[in-house]
Amino acid sequence: MIVKKMYPPDPALKAQSIIIFGANGDLCWRKLIPALYNLYLTDHLPEFFFIVAVDHSDIKEEAYRKHLLEGVDQFSRSGKADRTAWKNFSSHINYLQGDFTNAILYDALNKKLKACDLKAGQRCNRLFYYSVAPRFIESISEELYKNKTASQKDIDRIIVEKPFGSDWASANKLNTFLTKRFAEKQLYRIDHYLGKETVQNIMAFRFANYVFEPLWNKDFIDHIQITVAETVSVGSRAGYYEQAGAIRDMIQNHLLQLLCVIGMESPKSLHAEAVRNQKLAVLKNIRPFTKASVAKNIVRAQYTAGKTKDIPQIAYRSEENVASGSVTETFFAGKFFIDNERWENVPFYLRTGKCLATQSSVIAIQFKNTPHKVFKEDVDANRLIISVQPDNEISLWFESKVPGLEMKLKTVEMDFTYRESYEEQLPEAYEALLLDAMKGDATLFMRNDQVETAWKIVMPIINEWKKQVSTGLKFYAAGSMGPKAADELLKKDGREWYAHLPKK
Ligand code: BG6
């Protein structure tokens, strides 16, 4: 349970109108409203804030608030909502029903927003959240632009949910469309992985601890593994996932962003542009894939029936709305290189998949072995494990002497866990991201060039797959850790995937 704290008001936080398009959708229910509620509980919202929930569903305001409360009770990190706090918080929520493509909605929205300004006695900052299917982005933007609803470049901001385009051309087209209507500094393209506390901590770990910096390069690091394993299936999202697959859903965004945080040079400052420039430099230096390297270094696979966590799981091709001969990949593994001085020829192995044996996001930094052998027995090389979730820890694996009269070695761990070091609960990624957007801090959001460069990296892979259709698609049983080919990818380099099993 979070206790409502009284922080001094943050001067960067001005009166806000938060307009959520797609407010009766799953994201709003599970993530956005619980995040805003927790920001309210911890006094991170300004004195004047208004949530305008826009959706096409025909639902009465009271019923809508009740539905949101159920979401908070179920998904909020602070547990079931305190009824008084919820009553106060939810009195800030207004429901506006309408068709995103109909001009009438935007008249009503303008009136609502003006009423908010009147109540606050000032023009509120406006934060628009596009939690909608990509096909609505252009119509909503056009209406906001025509009606001058988001015209104040310094205080009106737009958060665009992923997927941002479905390939480089569509992302580029969308960027052109948006930047004709809004300034780039108004556009906040979200990648929620960047808002995760443990991902933000990688910046602190790397750039506030000089002890690791001299080791953070090709001279000391053998390779890096980034795994985002999920036990969940595609569930009811097949409509979207069939077109996306793991490469568009996870690799182009979340995993490449994790790679950037691990691979980037130290930014000049924590200013948004300084940080984003360094991340962009990593993306630009990723070795382009060719027909040959796609064949050699990339594995795509799809789950067949099996058991995840002892629960029977049907094959991907039997899921609702999935074509019976679908070649959509639910698993991806690949070997990437960053062609710069720091990382020359250090492989970054990335893998992600649905219906895997374990739910965990882990980065393993594998150091090289000691060059000179002093001990008779084999010595395991050091390894640094950054567990993004669910363990939330950083541990360094090193060799130690087993107590006794002989010289025997064993690998032991030196751990940092949030649980042991902090009393504070970890905020949810969406809390951090919504708060940053309200303050106008875009550090953790994607700039247009970052998104497009990330697309450029994956396009040769997508194009090769298009040519080959199903050739090369592998299969793995639900509940396993992916296809054999993914293990082979490392085996042929004399390496193996680090098998991380969550401790909880
Ligand atoms: C989303 C993907 O962006 O990230 C989902 O669309 C995936 O398919 C999710 O399950 C994973 O996020 P998290 O925060 O649960 O690791």
Side-chain angles (χ1 to χ4, degrees), residues 26 40 42-43 48 50 69 104 107 122 151 165 180 207 239 264 283 304-305 313 322 348 359 371 389 482:
D26 208 49
Y40 172 75
T42 52
D43 270 326
F48 292 105
F50 310 91
L69 174 59
I104 297 172
D107 275 348
Q122 57 190 291
S151 58
K180 271 195 183 144
F207 302 125
M264 69 193 273
L283 294 174
T304 55
Q313 169 62 49
V322 171
F348 283 70
Q359 181 89 18
Q389 59 191 26

Short mmCIF file of all heavy atoms in Angstrom, two decimals, residues 26 40 42-43 48 50 69 104 107 122 151 165 180 207 239 264 283 304-305 313 322 348 359 371 389 482:
data_model
loop_
_atom_site.label_atom_id
_atom_site.label_comp_id
_atom_site.label_asym_id
_atom_site.label_seq_id
_atom_site.Cartn_x
_atom_site.Cartn_y
_atom_site.Cartn_z
N ASP A 26 -7.79 -1.82 -23.44
CA ASP A 26 -7.07 -2.60 -22.44
C ASP A 26 -5.90 -1.85 -21.81
O ASP A 26 -5.66 -1.92 -20.61
CB ASP A 26 -6.54 -3.85 -23.17
CG ASP A 26 -6.39 -4.99 -22.21
OD1 ASP A 26 -7.35 -5.24 -21.46
OD2 ASP A 26 -5.30 -5.59 -22.19
N TYR A 40 -1.10 10.18 -8.61
CA TYR A 40 -1.95 11.00 -7.75
C TYR A 40 -1.65 10.69 -6.28
O TYR A 40 -1.45 11.59 -5.46
CB TYR A 40 -3.41 10.72 -8.09
CG TYR A 40 -4.40 11.37 -7.16
CD1 TYR A 40 -4.66 12.73 -7.22
CD2 TYR A 40 -5.07 10.60 -6.21
CE1 TYR A 40 -5.56 13.33 -6.35
CE2 TYR A 40 -5.98 11.18 -5.33
CZ TYR A 40 -6.21 12.55 -5.41
OH TYR A 40 -7.11 13.12 -4.54
N THR A 42 0.98 9.55 -4.92
CA THR A 42 2.32 9.99 -4.47
C THR A 42 2.54 11.48 -4.71
O THR A 42 3.67 11.95 -4.70
CB THR A 42 3.41 9.17 -5.19
OG1 THR A 42 3.16 9.24 -6.61
CG2 THR A 42 3.43 7.72 -4.76
N ASP A 43 1.44 12.19 -4.93
CA ASP A 43 1.49 13.64 -5.14
C ASP A 43 2.38 14.06 -6.30
O ASP A 43 3.10 15.04 -6.23
CB ASP A 43 1.96 14.34 -3.86
CG ASP A 43 0.77 14.70 -3.00
OD1 ASP A 43 -0.28 15.01 -3.57
OD2 ASP A 43 0.90 14.62 -1.77
N PHE A 48 -4.15 21.21 -10.44
CA PHE A 48 -5.23 21.14 -11.43
C PHE A 48 -4.89 20.10 -12.48
O PHE A 48 -3.92 20.27 -13.22
CB PHE A 48 -5.43 22.50 -12.12
CG PHE A 48 -5.98 23.54 -11.19
CD1 PHE A 48 -5.16 24.55 -10.69
CD2 PHE A 48 -7.32 23.49 -10.81
CE1 PHE A 48 -5.67 25.50 -9.82
CE2 PHE A 48 -7.83 24.44 -9.94
CZ PHE A 48 -7.01 25.45 -9.44
N PHE A 50 -6.97 17.25 -15.24
CA PHE A 50 -8.24 16.77 -15.79
C PHE A 50 -7.94 15.61 -16.72
O PHE A 50 -7.02 15.70 -17.53
CB PHE A 50 -8.94 17.89 -16.59
CG PHE A 50 -9.04 19.18 -15.81
CD1 PHE A 50 -8.03 20.14 -15.92
CD2 PHE A 50 -10.11 19.42 -14.98
CE1 PHE A 50 -8.09 21.32 -15.19
CE2 PHE A 50 -10.19 20.60 -14.25
CZ PHE A 50 -9.17 21.57 -14.36
N LEU A 69 -12.12 1.51 -11.84
CA LEU A 69 -11.78 1.14 -10.46
C LEU A 69 -11.45 -0.35 -10.39
O LEU A 69 -10.48 -0.76 -9.72
CB LEU A 69 -12.94 1.48 -9.52
CG LEU A 69 -12.79 1.02 -8.07
CD1 LEU A 69 -11.55 1.62 -7.41
CD2 LEU A 69 -14.03 1.40 -7.25
N ILE A 104 -17.35 16.07 -35.27
CA ILE A 104 -18.21 16.47 -34.13
C ILE A 104 -17.49 16.21 -32.79
O ILE A 104 -17.57 16.99 -31.85
CB ILE A 104 -19.55 15.68 -34.17
CG1 ILE A 104 -20.31 16.07 -35.43
CG2 ILE A 104 -20.39 15.93 -32.92
CD1 ILE A 104 -21.55 15.23 -35.68
N ASP A 107 -15.17 19.06 -31.79
CA ASP A 107 -15.86 20.25 -31.28
C ASP A 107 -16.09 20.07 -29.79
O ASP A 107 -15.81 20.94 -28.97
CB ASP A 107 -17.24 20.39 -31.94
CG ASP A 107 -17.14 21.10 -33.28
OD1 ASP A 107 -16.06 21.66 -33.54
OD2 ASP A 107 -18.13 21.07 -34.03
N GLN A 122 -6.19 29.05 -16.14
CA GLN A 122 -5.02 29.19 -17.01
C GLN A 122 -5.16 28.19 -18.18
O GLN A 122 -5.93 27.24 -18.07
CB GLN A 122 -3.74 28.87 -16.26
CG GLN A 122 -3.75 27.48 -15.65
CD GLN A 122 -2.60 27.20 -14.71
OE1 GLN A 122 -1.47 27.10 -15.14
NE2 GLN A 122 -2.91 27.09 -13.42
N SER A 151 -2.00 23.15 -30.44
CA SER A 151 -1.18 24.09 -31.23
C SER A 151 -0.10 24.81 -30.44
O SER A 151 0.74 25.49 -31.01
CB SER A 151 -2.10 25.11 -31.90
OG SER A 151 -2.82 25.77 -30.88
N GLY A 165 4.40 2.51 -37.13
CA GLY A 165 4.65 2.00 -38.49
C GLY A 165 4.78 0.49 -38.45
O GLY A 165 4.90 -0.12 -37.38
N LYS A 180 4.57 17.45 -40.01
CA LYS A 180 3.97 18.58 -40.76
C LYS A 180 2.94 19.28 -39.90
O LYS A 180 2.59 20.43 -40.15
CB LYS A 180 3.30 18.05 -42.03
CG LYS A 180 4.26 17.99 -43.19
CD LYS A 180 3.54 17.82 -44.51
CE LYS A 180 4.56 17.71 -45.60
NZ LYS A 180 4.14 16.76 -46.64
N PHE A 207 27.07 4.74 -15.83
CA PHE A 207 27.72 6.04 -15.90
C PHE A 207 27.96 6.71 -14.54
O PHE A 207 28.53 7.79 -14.48
CB PHE A 207 26.93 6.96 -16.85
CG PHE A 207 26.83 6.37 -18.24
CD1 PHE A 207 25.60 6.17 -18.84
CD2 PHE A 207 27.97 5.96 -18.92
CE1 PHE A 207 25.50 5.60 -20.11
CE2 PHE A 207 27.89 5.39 -20.18
CZ PHE A 207 26.66 5.21 -20.78
N GLY A 239 -5.08 -10.69 -34.06
CA GLY A 239 -5.41 -9.75 -35.13
C GLY A 239 -4.22 -8.84 -35.43
O GLY A 239 -3.87 -8.59 -36.58
N MET A 264 25.67 2.09 -25.59
CA MET A 264 25.92 3.51 -25.88
C MET A 264 27.16 4.07 -25.18
O MET A 264 27.61 3.53 -24.16
CB MET A 264 24.70 4.35 -25.49
CG MET A 264 24.46 4.43 -24.01
SD MET A 264 22.83 5.09 -23.61
CE MET A 264 23.18 6.84 -23.62
N LEU A 283 22.52 2.61 -32.86
CA LEU A 283 21.68 2.03 -33.92
C LEU A 283 22.34 2.20 -35.28
O LEU A 283 22.34 1.30 -36.11
CB LEU A 283 20.30 2.69 -33.93
CG LEU A 283 19.41 2.44 -32.70
CD1 LEU A 283 18.14 3.25 -32.77
CD2 LEU A 283 19.06 0.95 -32.58
N THR A 304 4.47 -24.57 -31.16
CA THR A 304 3.49 -25.62 -31.40
C THR A 304 2.86 -25.94 -30.04
O THR A 304 3.25 -25.35 -29.03
CB THR A 304 4.16 -26.87 -31.99
OG1 THR A 304 5.21 -27.26 -31.11
CG2 THR A 304 4.75 -26.61 -33.37
N ALA A 305 1.93 -26.87 -30.02
CA ALA A 305 1.26 -27.18 -28.75
C ALA A 305 2.26 -27.68 -27.72
O ALA A 305 3.29 -28.25 -28.06
CB ALA A 305 0.19 -28.24 -29.00
N GLN A 313 -1.10 -25.74 -23.68
CA GLN A 313 -1.10 -24.58 -24.57
C GLN A 313 -1.28 -25.07 -26.01
O GLN A 313 -0.57 -25.97 -26.45
CB GLN A 313 0.24 -23.84 -24.42
CG GLN A 313 0.50 -22.77 -25.45
CD GLN A 313 -0.51 -21.64 -25.40
OE1 GLN A 313 -0.80 -21.09 -24.35
NE2 GLN A 313 -1.09 -21.30 -26.55
N VAL A 322 -5.77 -16.80 -36.16
CA VAL A 322 -4.47 -17.08 -36.78
C VAL A 322 -4.72 -18.00 -37.97
O VAL A 322 -5.45 -18.99 -37.85
CB VAL A 322 -3.50 -17.73 -35.77
CG1 VAL A 322 -2.23 -18.21 -36.48
CG2 VAL A 322 -3.14 -16.75 -34.66
N PHE A 348 26.33 -9.45 -29.92
CA PHE A 348 25.17 -9.19 -29.06
C PHE A 348 24.11 -10.19 -29.51
O PHE A 348 23.59 -10.08 -30.62
CB PHE A 348 24.64 -7.77 -29.25
CG PHE A 348 25.46 -6.70 -28.58
CD1 PHE A 348 26.73 -6.38 -29.04
CD2 PHE A 348 24.96 -6.01 -27.48
CE1 PHE A 348 27.48 -5.39 -28.43
CE2 PHE A 348 25.71 -5.02 -26.85
CZ PHE A 348 26.97 -4.71 -27.32
N GLN A 359 9.28 -16.54 -17.67
CA GLN A 359 8.96 -15.12 -17.92
C GLN A 359 10.09 -14.32 -17.33
O GLN A 359 10.15 -14.10 -16.12
CB GLN A 359 7.63 -14.80 -17.19
CG GLN A 359 7.11 -13.39 -17.36
CD GLN A 359 6.20 -13.27 -18.58
OE1 GLN A 359 5.71 -14.27 -19.08
NE2 GLN A 359 5.98 -12.07 -19.04
N PRO A 371 43.50 -14.58 -18.91
CA PRO A 371 44.41 -14.99 -19.97
C PRO A 371 45.48 -15.98 -19.49
O PRO A 371 45.96 -16.82 -20.25
CB PRO A 371 45.07 -13.69 -20.42
CG PRO A 371 44.77 -12.69 -19.37
CD PRO A 371 43.62 -13.17 -18.55
N GLN A 389 13.49 -7.96 -15.19
CA GLN A 389 12.27 -8.44 -14.55
C GLN A 389 12.24 -9.96 -14.64
O GLN A 389 12.84 -10.51 -15.56
CB GLN A 389 11.01 -7.85 -15.20
CG GLN A 389 10.91 -8.17 -16.68
CD GLN A 389 9.82 -7.39 -17.41
OE1 GLN A 389 9.46 -6.31 -16.99
NE2 GLN A 389 9.30 -7.94 -18.48
N GLY A 482 12.58 -22.38 -26.79
CA GLY A 482 12.75 -22.02 -28.20
C GLY A 482 13.29 -23.19 -29.00
O GLY A 482 13.52 -24.28 -28.47
#
